[in-house]
Structures are given as structure tokens and as C-alpha cells.
């Protein structure tokens, strides 16, 4: 087996290549796109952090630091990195089970794993995860995000929501008596604004009116920002009895984060193995899926998956030292970046610097943001995150696809992402083995032109451990009086050692009966395996022929033993 995939990948950020020939026009585009994305990222970063069970400033610091590193060192021209909705459930569960300090350690360890994955050129392997698993856990995470926002949307007085799905339902049910209609109305209003706010507007061909210019201007302002500012102003002016960032967290510090090394021991690292793997796996999947979406939308050169993983690794290694949480590629902000006209990673750098300036200059203004408003925004994020149409389309697919997708979805909701992906992969592998095994078949062919006593069987597919059944049943299909069995193998594309063992057992059984075995049209991979295992020598090189036609060309004479008659050996026999 070749180990070429273990070659290391050179560290070549896309930013270096994109800055060649960089001019004022592209700089202006990137500045505008970066400012736009920075404004969009502001409420999302705080909302993701709060929903994850940490302070809002930790989301902002993650968006600033990780966003800057991912854009500067990544392998995509337009991808934006930062805290993502997909991590909400994972981070919340880790904080509940292991504590915030251990979350930071697990995130740094995941960063090391991500960097090694990219450095060892393993980026392409992430694409081998079946789409049914990706859709299943994505929809499951979206459901859990929506459920996690029920507390703030309904204004329920719950100190701490548990991480377990059924425990969350029970806790929410017990506290329904504390329902706050003002918070509910505010959250629904924010959700409605984000949904109906225009995402784009095309100016008419005839002379534009002031309404057209107003609609175009409105489409350039993110709906999330409009909802957040509007809810804050209304709640402040009317003195609504709703919980805010200030009342729960005491506001957002108007300072830069300080560098702090978390306390690390190998004992702790062993305990955090599963959280580390979960963060690394989810970060790799999300970032590379996001980069693929960016490639399709932007028309820019295809992203470098290995460089992207190395950048994600550096970001997740460094960010926890400043109190940050896991980061990855974010589809919503990346799409905004592309639509705003970004041409290079400079836009991502500008987005991070924009957030930094907002934190330094306007952090006190965020104190009055109602948590119900953030809950409404996150409900919209969860809805957009899920691929709900796939549930309706399940009836068009076979049982294996439906089972893996629904199984991954249910396991994500009821248990956790790690269990869901592990079981999903096991299920996908089992169904793949079953499917490939069912495709293999042994068919009897007419022995026209061959002397009496010859039987021809065609092998089709792959002969591996999951498909040896038809080969084991073949001796029973050989008619009485058969002197030679010919296996036509031109359609046998591959064979493993279990398949070779079944072939050797067939040869042993036929030889015991005094029946010769001839292999025709053997492809390179099965033939190579036969030679390495010594089966070609035991069978006899004269028993491997270029094709059945070579046997028809020379009428055979009776054979005295299980070996095929010498006259059957056509030109090039044994050298196929």
C-alpha cells in the first residue's frame, strides 16, 4: 500500500497568492465586504457564545482572533472563520460535563489535531464522510439549537439548562409557569424582522424612485442588525421586563482579552479525548464544507483543504489562550462576504478588525441587548442551518440512505454528535459492504465451441469478504460429468484475501472431484494477489488464459487429472 498520502503539506496561505497583482479596486471591494461581514458577525458571535453556555465576549474574542488567523493563514480566498452554530450543542455539553477550563484545553488539543490533519495531507479524507451523515447531524444540531433557545425566547426563569435532550424538555416543562409574554413577543418580532427583511434588491430599468433607493439601501443592512438594534431600543424605551446581557453577564468588557495559559496535565488530556476528537472532526467537516460552498459561489480558485485545516488548527490552538471557544468556517458569514464582493482574504482580516473596533468603542451599548432578541435570531440561524427538505425526499431513496440519515439525526438529538457520527459511519460501512456483496454474482455462460465436459461461469463485481457466499455455493452448480470449470473474470474488478481463500477452496473441491479449474481474462489486481499468495503457482500458469476465445480456438484432448489439457493453453497464457 502506498503511503504517499502521509507526505507533509507545505504551509502556503492563500493570502500570499491573492496579494499578487492586488490593486486599489480590489482593496475597495474587500474593505466594503469586510465591514459588512463584521457588522453581521457582531450579533451572531454574541448569540453563539451565550447559547453555548459561555460569556458573550468570548464569542466576540473568538470571532476577532480566530477570524483574523483563519483569513490570514487559510487556504480559501473568501471563507470567514469564527464561532459557529454547529458548535453550540457540542460546547454547551462540554462545559456542562467538564467545565469551562477543560473546554479551552480540549479546543487547543483539537487545534493541534486539525493542524496535523492538514500537514499530513488528510484534508481530502473528510470528503469521504457520506452526505447522509452530514445531513443527519446538521439537522440534529439545528433542532438542539432551537430547543436551547426556548428558555430565553419564552423568558423562563431557569438558572441552568441541562445538556441532555430529555432533561431539557423536562426542565422547560417544569418552568412554563414563569413564561414572560414580553420576551416572547420581542423574540418573535426579531425572528419576523430577520425573515422578511430584504436580502437583496435589483434596481428597475426605468428611472428609480426614492422607494427603490430606500429598498436597495435597506437590503444592504443585515436583518440581524436591524432586529438587534430595534429590539434593544424598544426594550429600553418601554422599560420592558426582559433579561438582557447586562442583567445576566454584567456587560461586555471594553478591553482586549488577556493571554492566559490553562492548567494542563496529561491526566486531563486523557479525559478530554472524546471532546477533543469531536471538536476536531466537526471543525474539519464544517470548514471544508463551507469552503466548497464558497468556491461554488465566488468563482475564485479552488480552496486548498490541507492549508485550510492547518489554519483552523492554528486558530483553535491560539484562541483559547485568550478565553475563546472553538472556531471553524461559517457559511452564513462566508456567503455574506461573497455577496458583498470580497476578492481575497483581506476581507476576512477587515471583518476581524471591524469587530475589534466595535468592542473597543461600543461595548457598553451591548449591555442592553435583550436575550430574547438573540434567541429569535438564533432560531432563524437554526432553521437555515437544517436541510429539512431532505426528510421529504427520503421516500425517493433506498433503505440504507434513509436509515443512516435518520439514525444519525436521532442519535445527535438524543445522545451527542460523537456517538451519532461513529454509529453513522458504522452503519454506512455495513450497508456499503452489504450493497457491494449483493452486487457480486456468479452466472453460468453457454459453453459454445468448447468440448463436452466444459462449464463456464462469469464472475461479476468485487470478490471480497462480504461476497464469498456465491463462490462457496459454486461447486453445487457444477453439472455432473464436468471435466473442466472455466471462470470468466473480465468483469471481476477486485479481490481481497477472503475472496482468494474462497477461490482456493473452490480449486481444492474441484480437484478432489477430478475437475480442472481454468481462469480466463484475469484483471491486474486479482492476478497480482494470486501471484503474491502463490496461488498462480499452485494452480499452474497454463491454467490462466487470456480469454475464453483462446480455449475455443484449440479443441482440447481429454485430461487425465484435474489439470487443464495443454492444448487449451492459448497464446500468451500465464502472461496475461
Amino acid at each position: 500500500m502506498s503511503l504517499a498520502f502521509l507526505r507533509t503539506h507545505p504551509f502556503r496561505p492563500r493570502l500570499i497568492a491573492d496579494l499578487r497583482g492586488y490593486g486599489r479596486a480590489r482593496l475597495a471591494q474587500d474593505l466594503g465586504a469586510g465591514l459588512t461581514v463584521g457588522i453581521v458577525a457582531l450579533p451572531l458571535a454574541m448569540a453563539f457564545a451565550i447559547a453555548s453556555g459561555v460569556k458573550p465576549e468570548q464569542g466576540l474574542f473568538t470571532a476577532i482572533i480566530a477570524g483574523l488567523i483563519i483569513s490570514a493563514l487559510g487556504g480559501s480566498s473568501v471563507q470567514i472563520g469564527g464561532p459557529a452554530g454547529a458548535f453550540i450543542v457540542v460546547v454547551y455539553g462540554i462545559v456542562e460535563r467538564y467545565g469551562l477550563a477543560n473546554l479551552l484545553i480540549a479546543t487547543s488539543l483539537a487545534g493541534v489535531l486539525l493542524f496535523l490533519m492538514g500537514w499530513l495531507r488528510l484534508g481530502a479524507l473528510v470528503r469521504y464522510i457520506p452526505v447522509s451523515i452530514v445531513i443527519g447531524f446538521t439537522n440534529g444540531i439545528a433542532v438542539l439549537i432551537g430547543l436551547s433557545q426556548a428558555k430565553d425566547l419564552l423568558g423562563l426563569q431557569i438558572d441552568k439548562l441541562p445538556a441532555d435532550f430529555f432533561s431539557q424538555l423536562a426542565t422547560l416543562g417544569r418552568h412554563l409557569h414563569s413564561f414572560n409574554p414580553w420576551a416572547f413577543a420581542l423574540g418573535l418580532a426579531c425572528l419576523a424582522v430577520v425573515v422578511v427583511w430584504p436580502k437583496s434588491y435589483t434596481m428597475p430599468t426605468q428611472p428609480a424612485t426614492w422607494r427603490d433607493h430606500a429598498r436597495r439601501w435597506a437590503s444592504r443592512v443585515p436583518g440581524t442588525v436591524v432586529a438587534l438594534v430595534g429590539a434593544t431600543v424598544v426594550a429600553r424605551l418601554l422599560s420592558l421586563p426582559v433579561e438582557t446581557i447586562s442583567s445576566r453577564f454584567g456587560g461586555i468588557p471594553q478591553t482586549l482579552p488577556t493571554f492566559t495559559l490553562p492548567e494542563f496535565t496529561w491526566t486531563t488530556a486523557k479525559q478530554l479525548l472524546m471532546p477533543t476528537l469531536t471538536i476536531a472532526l466537526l471543525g474539519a467537516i464544517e470548514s471544508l464544507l463551507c469552503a466548497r460552498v464558497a468556491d461554488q459561489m465566488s468563482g475564485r480558485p479552488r480552496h486548498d483543504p490541507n492549508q485550510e485545516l492547518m489554519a483552523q488548527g492554528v486558530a483553535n490552538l491560539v484562541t483559547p489562550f485568550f478565553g475563546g471557544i472553538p472556531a471553524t468556517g461559517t457559511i452564513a458569514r462566508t456567503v455574506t462576504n461573497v455577496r458583498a464582493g470580497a476578492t481575497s482574504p483581506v476581507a476576512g482580516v477587515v471583518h476581524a478588525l471591524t469587530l475589534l473596533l466595535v468592542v473597543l468603542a461600543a461595548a457598553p451599548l451591548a449591555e442592553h441587548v435583550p436575550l430574547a432578541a438573540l434567541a429569535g435570531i438564533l432560531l432563524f440561524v437554526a432553521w437555515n442551518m437544517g436541510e429539512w427538505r431532505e426528510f421529504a425526499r427520503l421516500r425517493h431513496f433506498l433503505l440504507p440512505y434513509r436509515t443512516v440519515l435518520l439514525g444519525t439525526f436521532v442519535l445527535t438529538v438524543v445522545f451527542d454528535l460523537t456517538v451519532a457520527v461513529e454509529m453513522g459511519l458504522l452503519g454506512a460501512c455495513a450497508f456499503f459492504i452489504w450493497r457491494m456483496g449483493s452486487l457480486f454474482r456468479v452466472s453460468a455462460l453457454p459453453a459454445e465451441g468448447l468440448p463436452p465436459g466444459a462449464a463456464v461461469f462469469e464472475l461479476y463485481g468485487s470478490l471480497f469478504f462480504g461476497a464469498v457466499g456465491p463462490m462457496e455455493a459454486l461447486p453445487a452448480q457444477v453439472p455432473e460429468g464436468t471435466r473442466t470449470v472455466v471462470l470468466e473474470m473480465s468483469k471481476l474488478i477486485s479481490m481481497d484475501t477472503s475472496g482468494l481463500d474462497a477461490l482456493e477452496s473452490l480449486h481444492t473441491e474441484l480437484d478432489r472431484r477430478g475437475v480442472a479449474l481454468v481462469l480466463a481474462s484475469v484483471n491486474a489486481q486479482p492476478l497480482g494477489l494470486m501471484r503474491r499468495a502463490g496461488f498462480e503457482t499452485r494452480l499452474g500458469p497454463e491454467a490462466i488464459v487470456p480469454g475464453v476465445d483462446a480455449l475455443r480456438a484449440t479443441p482440447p484432448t481429454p485430461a487425465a487429472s484435474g489439470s487443464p489439457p495443454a492444448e487449451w493453453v492459448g497464446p500468451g497464457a500465464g502472461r496475461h
Side-chain angles (χ1 to χ4, degrees), residues 517-567:
L517 177 63
V518 176
L519 308 182
S521 305
V522 186
N523 286 313
Q525 191 275 333
L527 183 61
L529 179 59
M530 294 178 197
R531 287 173 175 168
R532 293 194 300 273
F535 180 63
E536 181 186 35
T537 302
R538 293 190 293 274
L539 187 64
E542 68 279 359
I544 300 179
V545 298
V548 177
D549 290 340
L551 304 178
R552 295 189 179 104
T554 306
T557 57
S561 67
S563 299
E567 292 89 347

Side-chain angles (χ1 to χ4, degrees), residues 14 22 70 111 257 318 381 459 482 495 548:
R14 180 61 59 85
Y22 197 76
I70 290 172
V318 173
V381 171
L459 305 187
T482 299
M495 180 170 63
V548 177

Side-chain angles (χ1 to χ4, degrees), residues 145-238:
I145 291 174
L147 181 63
S148 70
Q149 296 312 297
K151 168 180 172 289
D152 289 331
L153 180 68
L154 301 176
L156 304 183
Q157 299 300 312
I158 302 175
D159 293 333
K160 195 72 174 178
L161 198 64
D164 177 70
F165 174 72
F166 294 109
S167 298
Q168 285 185 350
L169 291 178
T171 303
L172 291 172
R174 287 196 305 269
H175 291 81
L176 283 177
H177 65 275
S178 62
F179 170 71
N180 185 337
W182 296 108
F184 184 63
L186 205 60
L188 287 185
C190 287
L191 176 61
V193 169
V194 176
V195 171
V196 303
W197 192 261
K199 308 300 185 293
S200 62
Y201 184 74
T202 303
M203 296 292 284
T205 54
Q206 63 269 25
T209 64
W210 67 269
R211 290 189 178 88
D212 295 319
H213 288 290
R215 290 173 182 172
R216 186 178 184 182
W217 175 86
S219 67
R220 293 181 175 179
V221 179
T224 53
V225 175
V226 175
L228 193 69
V229 173
T232 303
V233 171
V234 169
R236 185 70 173 168
L237 291 178
L238 300 181

Side-chain angles (χ1 to χ4, degrees), residues 167-401:
S167 298
Q168 285 185 350
L169 291 178
T171 303
L172 291 172
R174 287 196 305 269
H175 291 81
L176 283 177
H177 65 275
S178 62
F179 170 71
N180 185 337
W182 296 108
F184 184 63
L186 205 60
L188 287 185
C190 287
L191 176 61
V193 169
V194 176
V195 171
V196 303
W197 192 261
K199 308 300 185 293
S200 62
Y201 184 74
T202 303
M203 296 292 284
T205 54
Q206 63 269 25
T209 64
W210 67 269
R211 290 189 178 88
D212 295 319
H213 288 290
R215 290 173 182 172
R216 186 178 184 182
W217 175 86
S219 67
R220 293 181 175 179
V221 179
T224 53
V225 175
V226 175
L228 193 69
V229 173
T232 303
V233 171
V234 169
R236 185 70 173 168
L237 291 178
L238 300 181
S239 299
L240 297 180
V242 294
E243 196 170 16
T244 65
I245 288 179
S246 176
S247 63
R248 180 179 296 181
F249 301 102
I252 297 176
Q254 199 174 0
T255 58
L256 292 173
T258 57
F259 180 86
T260 305
L261 283 174
E263 189 174 337
F264 176 84
T265 63
W266 282 114
T267 302
T268 304
K270 293 176 184 177
Q271 295 173 347
L272 296 175
L273 176 61
M274 293 311 298
T276 297
L277 293 176
T278 302
I279 294 172
L281 179 62
L282 183 57
I285 295 173
E286 285 291 312
S287 63
L288 296 186
L289 286 177
C290 179
R292 291 177 64 182
V293 172
D295 290 345
Q296 296 168 2
M297 291 187 61
S298 66
R300 303 292 301 171
R302 182 180 173 275
H303 74 281
D304 182 343
N306 297 307
Q307 181 63 41
E308 187 63 32
L309 287 183
M310 286 194 287
Q312 299 285 341
V314 174
N316 282 283
L317 173 64
V318 173
T319 306
F321 297 149
F322 297 92
I325 58 179
T328 186
T330 57
I331 293 181
R333 276 158 277 176
T334 298
V335 170
T336 302
N337 192 40
V338 173
R339 289 177 177 171
T343 68
S344 75
V346 172
V349 174
V350 173
H351 133 268
L353 296 178
T354 300
L355 282 172
L356 177 60
L357 290 175
V358 170
V359 169
L360 294 178
L365 299 178
E367 296 179 359
H368 308 294
V369 173
L371 297 181
L374 294 177
I377 292 173
L378 279 183
L379 284 178
F380 178 75
V381 171
W383 177 258
N384 276 349
M385 181 179 177
E387 298 187 43
W388 312 111
R389 287 190 295 269
E390 290 299 319
F391 288 137
R393 297 176 61 225
L394 282 178
R395 64 181 183 275
H396 300 300
F397 296 97
L398 297 176
L399 178 65
Y401 180 88

Side-chain angles (χ1 to χ4, degrees), residues 431-440 462 464 466-467 493:
F431 280 121
F432 177 77
I433 292 170
W434 170 79
R435 180 61 176 161
M436 294 302 296
S438 66
L439 290 176
F440 176 78
S462 295
F464 68 110
I493 58 176

Side-chain angles (χ1 to χ4, degrees), residues 405-547:
L405 193 154
L406 291 176
T408 306
F409 171 75
V410 172
L411 289 173
T412 300
V413 173
V414 176
F415 292 97
D416 60 50
L417 179 65
T418 306
V419 173
V421 173
E422 288 174 350
M423 298 305 297
L425 285 174
L426 286 175
C429 290
F431 280 121
F432 177 77
I433 292 170
W434 170 79
R435 180 61 176 161
M436 294 302 296
S438 66
L439 290 176
F440 176 78
R441 63 176 181 265
V442 179
S443 306
L445 297 180
E448 297 176 357
L450 298 181
V456 182
F457 295 91
E458 179 186 58
L459 305 187
Y460 177 90
S462 295
L463 181 55
F464 68 110
F465 65 90
V468 296
M471 286 296 294
E472 293 172 346
L474 182 57
Q477 303 176 38
V478 177
E480 290 292 335
T482 299
R483 298 179 57 195
T484 303
V485 170
V486 180
L487 297 183
E488 210 290 322
M489 303 176 68
S490 63
K491 295 180 180 178
L492 184 73
I493 58 176
S494 65
M495 180 170 63
D496 70 354
T497 53
S498 296
L500 178 61
D501 182 70
L503 191 61
E504 289 184 321
S505 297
L506 173 66
H507 175 242
T508 301
E509 174 63 21
L510 294 178
D511 190 59
R512 186 182 62 81
R513 298 185 190 178
V515 179
L517 177 63
V518 176
L519 308 182
S521 305
V522 186
N523 286 313
Q525 191 275 333
L527 183 61
L529 179 59
M530 294 178 197
R531 287 173 175 168
R532 293 194 300 273
F535 180 63
E536 181 186 35
T537 302
R538 293 190 293 274
L539 187 64
E542 68 279 359
I544 300 179
V545 298

